Amino acid sequence: MSDKKSILIINQSAPYGSNKARESLDVALTCAIFEMPVSLLFIGDGVLQLLNGQQPEALQTKKHEAMLTALPMYDIDCLYVTSSDLKQHGLQSEDLAVPVKIVEQKQIASLIQQHDTVLTY
Amino acid sequence: MKFSLVVHSSPISQQSAATAFRFAKTALEAGHEIFRVFYYGDGVLVANSQIAPPQDEINLPEMWQALAKQYDIDLVVCIAAAVKRGVLDDNEAKRYEKDAANLAAGFELSGLGQLAEAIALSDRVITFGA
Amino acid sequence: MTLHLLNKSPQSMSLYSNMLASLSDNDSILLIEDGAYGALSAHNKIFKSLPDTVSLFVLRADTEARGLSERVSALFEVIDDNQFVELTCQNVKVVSWY
């Protein structure tokens, strides 16, 4: 593919309760395999995907946290979280399973502008 | 303008699946191109040939088939999402030793790479979500 | 210039909040499906703090179906399916909030 469009995936869904979070990462990994630059933004309940200490063994489902920690292997290094959404859930960067860039809410608009295509999950 | 659509919504339970169709038809009639429709999540159910809606309800599988035939649109169904929801073509039915294939004519099972390609090659990508 | 499509009623307030937090000047909002209920005048307060450069639209098929034809707030322009397609062309990208 000659056209390397940059993609921003906005995640608003918590993991496990629905498969949106999983679908989002599957799309992110696929686009990365096709060498398209992918950034992930976690807002609202989406920040809950990033929590460390996930133990989904009893649910017999894949550990979301493990999928997130695999992202750098696919050259997905740009993970953004808004400070206000972390605060809303009483979370701090120590609560997160992967390194993220913490941004102010007003920067979401710039992130959308900076990418060619925006997908939401 | 070259569009691709991503349809996440069930053709049975969510209006969004019908909105996607209306958008596609309107865009095509206005002279635009639909490069590809990519069905993901519960959206893949539209490709089940065994769907039999009551007479007074719309039949989205047939409507998409007719539109795709008239305008030569790529109707691509995410294979992973489809197989786990019981939408199988001949190959997948054999692979999983199921009684029959049920993928409706005009639809094609393929991977998420088809979505990545659609993003790369389209002017606009529009998601119709559940 | 981004077109924001939203398809849920204001009961999904966090979805509206996320969308509003993502707007730039000259963006447009189009309410579709159950989003059309957001165009009731009673919900004007959701949109009142937006800059004038943000345009508000609601889809005619959805307002008509829901009994909203005479109830749409003056903040919104009611558009048909053709204008929906035109909006997606006029804006450089489309973000769906669902």
Side-chain angles (χ1 to χ4, degrees):
Chain A
M1 261 175 277
S2 56
D3 204 348
K4 299 282 193 287
K5 287 196 179 167
S6 62
I7 301 172
L8 176 68
I9 302 184
I10 303 181
N11 296 280
Q12 310 173 81
S13 311
Y16 304 112
S18 82
N19 57 4
K20 275 188 178 177
R22 175 73 198 284
E23 288 176 345
S24 169
L25 288 191
D26 285 343
V27 170
L29 296 179
T30 304
C31 290
I33 288 166
F34 281 82
E35 296 179 348
M36 302 162 92
V38 178
S39 305
L40 301 176
L41 167 64
F42 297 86
I43 60 173
D45 282 355
V47 304
L48 302 170
Q49 293 184 29
L50 300 163
L51 274 180
N52 57 27
Q54 297 177 27
Q55 297 177 303
E57 289 73 17
L59 306 185
Q60 295 187 289
T61 187
K62 270 191 194 167
K63 187 169 170 175
H64 195 72
E65 182 182 344
M67 290 181 71
L68 288 170
T69 52
L71 291 174
M73 286 193 283
Y74 295 84
D75 292 324
I76 302 176
D77 302 308
C78 297
L79 276 60
Y80 300 93
V81 182
T82 54
S83 51
S84 54
D85 288 313
L86 280 180
K87 196 176 163 197
Q88 198 201 336
H89 292 287
L91 302 174
Q92 295 171 325
S93 53
E94 301 87 76
D95 294 303
L96 307 182
V98 287
V100 296
K101 293 173 188 157
I102 298 177
V103 298
E104 297 300 312
Q105 202 174 41
K106 60 177 183 291
Q107 291 171 264
I108 299 175
S110 329
L111 283 172
I112 291 175
Q113 285 174 13
Q114 288 158 16
H115 292 79
D116 295 313
T117 300
V118 182
L119 302 174
T120 44
Y121 288 93
Chain B
M1 195 68 71
K2 189 192 278 190
F3 289 99
S4 282
L5 311 185
V6 188
V7 183
H8 288 264
S9 32
S10 157
I12 307 304
S13 49
Q14 281 138 352
Q15 190 200 346
S16 164
T19 307
F21 178 83
R22 268 192 11 248
F23 182 92
K25 188 166 189 287
T26 307
L28 290 163
E29 286 170 356
H32 298 292
E33 179 190 348
I34 305 282
F35 172 68
R36 178 169 295 154
V37 184
F38 190 85
Y39 303 92
Y40 196 34
D42 285 350
V44 303
L45 297 171
V46 76
N48 180 347
S49 65
Q50 300 300 302
I51 285 178
Q55 288 286 335
D56 58 349
E57 290 179 20
I58 60 168
N59 188 325
L60 278 172
E62 284 182 5
M63 290 157 71
W64 278 115
Q65 284 171 322
L67 198 70
K69 204 169 186 181
Q70 187 181 351
Y71 291 98
D72 192 25
I73 316 168
D74 232 7
L75 304 181
V76 177
V77 180
C78 174
I79 186 165
V83 167
K84 64 182 170 186
R85 286 170 179 80
V87 178
L88 309 171
D89 62 8
D90 286 329
N91 282 339
E92 299 308 304
K94 281 197 194 87
R95 188 197 313 273
Y96 294 98
E97 298 176 354
K98 299 294 180 187
D99 299 338
N102 61 345
L103 182 73
F107 294 89
E108 170 198 350
L109 294 187
S110 194
L112 275 172
Q114 300 282 310
L115 173 59
E117 188 192 49
I119 292 169
L121 300 180
S122 305
D123 301 315
R124 301 283 184 276
V125 177
I126 306 181
T127 300
F128 292 87
Chain C
M1 286 208 341
T2 299
L3 172 64
H4 298 263
L5 284 181
L6 188 149
N7 76 344
K8 295 284 186 290
S9 87
Q11 180 169 285
S12 303
M13 203 54 231
S14 56
L15 190 67
Y16 283 72
S17 305
N18 290 342
M19 176 189 67
L20 295 172
S22 307
L23 290 169
S24 299
D25 284 345
N26 301 310
D27 281 1
S28 295
I29 297 171
L30 171 60
L31 302 180
I32 63 171
E33 300 159 18
D34 283 349
Y37 293 115
L40 283 166
S41 304
H43 301 301
N44 277 353
K45 58 183 181 303
I46 298 173
F47 307 96
K48 70 166 191 281
S49 57
L50 292 178
D52 292 341
T53 60
V54 173
S55 306
L56 301 176
F57 302 94
V58 61
L59 197 59
R60 183 182 305 280
D62 290 317
T63 57
E64 286 181 354
R66 290 167 173 77
L68 305 178
S69 296
E70 306 299 322
R71 298 184 170 95
V72 172
S73 156
L75 295 176
F76 284 84
E77 182 182 339
V78 182
I79 63 168
D80 64 19
D81 289 357
N82 279 304
Q83 291 167 296
F84 178 8
V85 172
E86 284 165 21
L87 267 184
T88 62
C89 298
Q90 289 157 10
N91 288 273
V92 293
K93 66 197 92 165
V94 181
V95 179
S96 296
W97 301 94
Y98 60 92

Short mmCIF file of all heavy atoms in Angstrom, two decimals, chain A residues 2-32:
data_model
loop_
_atom_site.label_atom_id
_atom_site.label_comp_id
_atom_site.label_asym_id
_atom_site.label_seq_id
_atom_site.Cartn_x
_atom_site.Cartn_y
_atom_site.Cartn_z
N SER A 2 0.72 2.07 -0.99
CA SER A 2 1.58 3.24 -1.12
C SER A 2 1.15 4.34 -0.15
O SER A 2 1.96 5.08 0.36
CB SER A 2 1.50 3.75 -2.55
OG SER A 2 0.17 4.02 -2.90
N ASP A 3 -0.12 4.40 0.11
CA ASP A 3 -0.68 5.50 0.88
C ASP A 3 -0.65 5.17 2.37
O ASP A 3 -1.43 4.37 2.85
CB ASP A 3 -2.13 5.72 0.42
CG ASP A 3 -2.59 7.13 0.71
OD1 ASP A 3 -1.88 7.83 1.45
OD2 ASP A 3 -3.64 7.52 0.19
N LYS A 4 0.27 5.78 3.12
CA LYS A 4 0.38 5.48 4.55
C LYS A 4 -0.44 6.49 5.35
O LYS A 4 0.08 7.49 5.83
CB LYS A 4 1.85 5.53 4.98
CG LYS A 4 2.74 4.53 4.27
CD LYS A 4 2.58 3.13 4.85
CE LYS A 4 3.68 2.20 4.38
NZ LYS A 4 3.54 1.81 2.97
N LYS A 5 -1.70 6.21 5.46
CA LYS A 5 -2.55 7.14 6.22
C LYS A 5 -2.38 6.88 7.71
O LYS A 5 -2.33 5.74 8.15
CB LYS A 5 -4.00 6.93 5.83
CG LYS A 5 -4.30 7.48 4.46
CD LYS A 5 -5.79 7.61 4.27
CE LYS A 5 -6.08 8.18 2.90
NZ LYS A 5 -7.49 8.03 2.55
N SER A 6 -2.32 7.96 8.47
CA SER A 6 -2.22 7.80 9.92
C SER A 6 -3.62 7.62 10.50
O SER A 6 -4.59 8.20 10.04
CB SER A 6 -1.55 9.03 10.52
OG SER A 6 -2.32 10.18 10.26
N ILE A 7 -3.67 6.77 11.52
CA ILE A 7 -4.96 6.40 12.09
C ILE A 7 -4.97 6.70 13.59
O ILE A 7 -4.03 6.34 14.30
CB ILE A 7 -5.23 4.90 11.87
CG1 ILE A 7 -5.22 4.61 10.37
CG2 ILE A 7 -6.57 4.48 12.47
CD1 ILE A 7 -5.27 3.16 10.04
N LEU A 8 -6.03 7.36 14.03
CA LEU A 8 -6.26 7.55 15.46
C LEU A 8 -7.45 6.68 15.85
O LEU A 8 -8.51 6.79 15.24
CB LEU A 8 -6.57 9.02 15.77
CG LEU A 8 -6.93 9.32 17.23
CD1 LEU A 8 -5.73 9.11 18.16
CD2 LEU A 8 -7.46 10.75 17.38
N ILE A 9 -7.25 5.82 16.83
CA ILE A 9 -8.37 5.00 17.31
C ILE A 9 -8.76 5.52 18.69
O ILE A 9 -7.94 5.53 19.62
CB ILE A 9 -7.99 3.51 17.37
CG1 ILE A 9 -7.55 3.03 15.97
CG2 ILE A 9 -9.18 2.69 17.86
CD1 ILE A 9 -7.25 1.55 15.88
N ILE A 10 -9.99 6.00 18.81
CA ILE A 10 -10.48 6.53 20.08
C ILE A 10 -11.21 5.40 20.81
O ILE A 10 -12.16 4.82 20.28
CB ILE A 10 -11.42 7.72 19.86
CG1 ILE A 10 -10.71 8.83 19.06
CG2 ILE A 10 -11.92 8.27 21.19
CD1 ILE A 10 -11.56 10.06 18.81
N ASN A 11 -10.75 5.09 21.99
CA ASN A 11 -11.34 4.00 22.79
C ASN A 11 -12.15 4.57 23.94
O ASN A 11 -11.60 5.27 24.80
CB ASN A 11 -10.22 3.12 23.34
CG ASN A 11 -9.45 2.45 22.24
OD1 ASN A 11 -9.88 1.44 21.69
ND2 ASN A 11 -8.31 3.03 21.88
N GLN A 12 -13.43 4.26 23.96
CA GLN A 12 -14.29 4.76 25.03
C GLN A 12 -14.88 3.63 25.85
O GLN A 12 -15.73 3.86 26.70
CB GLN A 12 -15.48 5.52 24.46
CG GLN A 12 -15.16 6.56 23.44
CD GLN A 12 -16.45 7.10 22.85
OE1 GLN A 12 -17.10 7.94 23.44
NE2 GLN A 12 -16.84 6.58 21.71
N SER A 13 -14.48 2.40 25.54
CA SER A 13 -15.16 1.26 26.16
C SER A 13 -14.23 0.54 27.13
O SER A 13 -13.04 0.34 26.84
CB SER A 13 -15.58 0.25 25.09
OG SER A 13 -16.27 0.93 24.05
N ALA A 14 -14.79 0.11 28.26
CA ALA A 14 -14.05 -0.70 29.22
C ALA A 14 -13.88 -2.11 28.65
O ALA A 14 -14.65 -2.52 27.78
CB ALA A 14 -14.81 -0.73 30.54
N PRO A 15 -12.87 -2.84 29.11
CA PRO A 15 -12.69 -4.21 28.59
C PRO A 15 -13.65 -5.19 29.24
O PRO A 15 -14.32 -4.84 30.22
CB PRO A 15 -11.25 -4.53 28.99
CG PRO A 15 -11.03 -3.74 30.24
CD PRO A 15 -11.84 -2.49 30.10
N TYR A 16 -13.74 -6.39 28.70
CA TYR A 16 -14.45 -7.54 29.26
C TYR A 16 -15.98 -7.48 29.15
O TYR A 16 -16.60 -8.46 28.77
CB TYR A 16 -14.04 -7.82 30.72
CG TYR A 16 -12.54 -8.02 30.86
CD1 TYR A 16 -11.76 -7.08 31.53
CD2 TYR A 16 -11.93 -9.11 30.26
CE1 TYR A 16 -10.38 -7.24 31.61
CE2 TYR A 16 -10.54 -9.27 30.33
CZ TYR A 16 -9.78 -8.33 31.00
OH TYR A 16 -8.42 -8.47 31.06
N GLY A 17 -16.60 -6.35 29.50
CA GLY A 17 -18.07 -6.27 29.46
C GLY A 17 -18.61 -6.32 28.04
O GLY A 17 -19.74 -6.75 27.81
N SER A 18 -17.81 -5.88 27.09
CA SER A 18 -18.17 -6.00 25.67
C SER A 18 -16.89 -6.31 24.92
O SER A 18 -15.81 -6.26 25.50
CB SER A 18 -18.80 -4.71 25.14
OG SER A 18 -17.79 -3.78 24.81
N ASN A 19 -17.00 -6.65 23.65
CA ASN A 19 -15.78 -6.97 22.90
C ASN A 19 -15.24 -5.78 22.11
O ASN A 19 -14.35 -5.93 21.29
CB ASN A 19 -15.99 -8.19 22.00
CG ASN A 19 -17.13 -7.99 21.04
OD1 ASN A 19 -17.73 -6.92 20.98
ND2 ASN A 19 -17.46 -9.02 20.27
N LYS A 20 -15.76 -4.57 22.40
CA LYS A 20 -15.30 -3.40 21.65
C LYS A 20 -13.81 -3.14 21.84
O LYS A 20 -13.09 -2.81 20.89
CB LYS A 20 -16.07 -2.16 22.09
CG LYS A 20 -17.40 -1.97 21.37
CD LYS A 20 -17.97 -0.60 21.76
CE LYS A 20 -19.27 -0.33 21.03
NZ LYS A 20 -19.84 0.96 21.47
N ALA A 21 -13.34 -3.28 23.09
CA ALA A 21 -11.94 -3.00 23.38
C ALA A 21 -11.04 -3.96 22.59
O ALA A 21 -10.02 -3.57 22.02
CB ALA A 21 -11.68 -3.13 24.88
N ARG A 22 -11.48 -5.20 22.54
CA ARG A 22 -10.73 -6.23 21.83
C ARG A 22 -10.74 -5.95 20.31
O ARG A 22 -9.70 -6.04 19.64
CB ARG A 22 -11.39 -7.57 22.17
CG ARG A 22 -10.89 -8.76 21.47
CD ARG A 22 -9.51 -9.18 21.99
NE ARG A 22 -8.90 -10.05 20.99
CZ ARG A 22 -9.24 -11.32 20.81
NH1 ARG A 22 -10.17 -11.87 21.60
NH2 ARG A 22 -8.67 -12.04 19.87
N GLU A 23 -11.92 -5.61 19.80
CA GLU A 23 -12.03 -5.31 18.36
C GLU A 23 -11.12 -4.15 17.98
O GLU A 23 -10.48 -4.15 16.93
CB GLU A 23 -13.48 -4.96 17.99
CG GLU A 23 -14.43 -6.13 18.01
CD GLU A 23 -15.88 -5.73 17.75
OE1 GLU A 23 -16.21 -4.52 17.82
OE2 GLU A 23 -16.68 -6.63 17.48
N SER A 24 -11.07 -3.17 18.87
CA SER A 24 -10.24 -2.00 18.62
C SER A 24 -8.77 -2.38 18.48
O SER A 24 -8.09 -1.95 17.54
CB SER A 24 -10.42 -1.02 19.78
OG SER A 24 -9.47 -0.01 19.71
N LEU A 25 -8.29 -3.20 19.40
CA LEU A 25 -6.87 -3.59 19.34
C LEU A 25 -6.60 -4.46 18.12
O LEU A 25 -5.53 -4.36 17.51
CB LEU A 25 -6.46 -4.32 20.62
CG LEU A 25 -6.32 -3.46 21.87
CD1 LEU A 25 -5.65 -4.25 22.99
CD2 LEU A 25 -5.52 -2.19 21.59
N ASP A 26 -7.54 -5.31 17.74
CA ASP A 26 -7.35 -6.13 16.53
C ASP A 26 -7.19 -5.24 15.30
O ASP A 26 -6.35 -5.50 14.44
CB ASP A 26 -8.55 -7.09 16.34
CG ASP A 26 -8.52 -8.26 17.31
OD1 ASP A 26 -7.45 -8.51 17.90
OD2 ASP A 26 -9.56 -8.91 17.49
N VAL A 27 -8.00 -4.18 15.23
CA VAL A 27 -7.88 -3.25 14.10
C VAL A 27 -6.54 -2.51 14.17
O VAL A 27 -5.84 -2.36 13.17
CB VAL A 27 -9.06 -2.25 14.09
CG1 VAL A 27 -8.81 -1.13 13.07
CG2 VAL A 27 -10.37 -2.97 13.77
N ALA A 28 -6.18 -2.09 15.38
CA ALA A 28 -4.92 -1.35 15.55
C ALA A 28 -3.74 -2.21 15.09
O ALA A 28 -2.87 -1.74 14.34
CB ALA A 28 -4.74 -0.95 17.02
N LEU A 29 -3.72 -3.47 15.53
CA LEU A 29 -2.60 -4.35 15.18
C LEU A 29 -2.56 -4.60 13.67
O LEU A 29 -1.49 -4.59 13.06
CB LEU A 29 -2.71 -5.68 15.93
CG LEU A 29 -2.59 -5.60 17.45
CD1 LEU A 29 -2.74 -6.99 18.08
CD2 LEU A 29 -1.28 -4.98 17.87
N THR A 30 -3.73 -4.79 13.07
CA THR A 30 -3.77 -5.04 11.63
C THR A 30 -3.24 -3.84 10.85
O THR A 30 -2.42 -3.99 9.94
CB THR A 30 -5.21 -5.34 11.17
OG1 THR A 30 -5.70 -6.44 11.93
CG2 THR A 30 -5.24 -5.71 9.70
N CYS A 31 -3.69 -2.66 11.21
CA CYS A 31 -3.23 -1.46 10.50
C CYS A 31 -1.72 -1.29 10.69
O CYS A 31 -1.01 -0.89 9.76
CB CYS A 31 -3.97 -0.22 10.99
SG CYS A 31 -5.70 -0.20 10.49
N ALA A 32 -1.23 -1.62 11.89
CA ALA A 32 0.21 -1.51 12.14
C ALA A 32 0.99 -2.50 11.28
O ALA A 32 2.06 -2.18 10.77
CB ALA A 32 0.50 -1.74 13.62
#
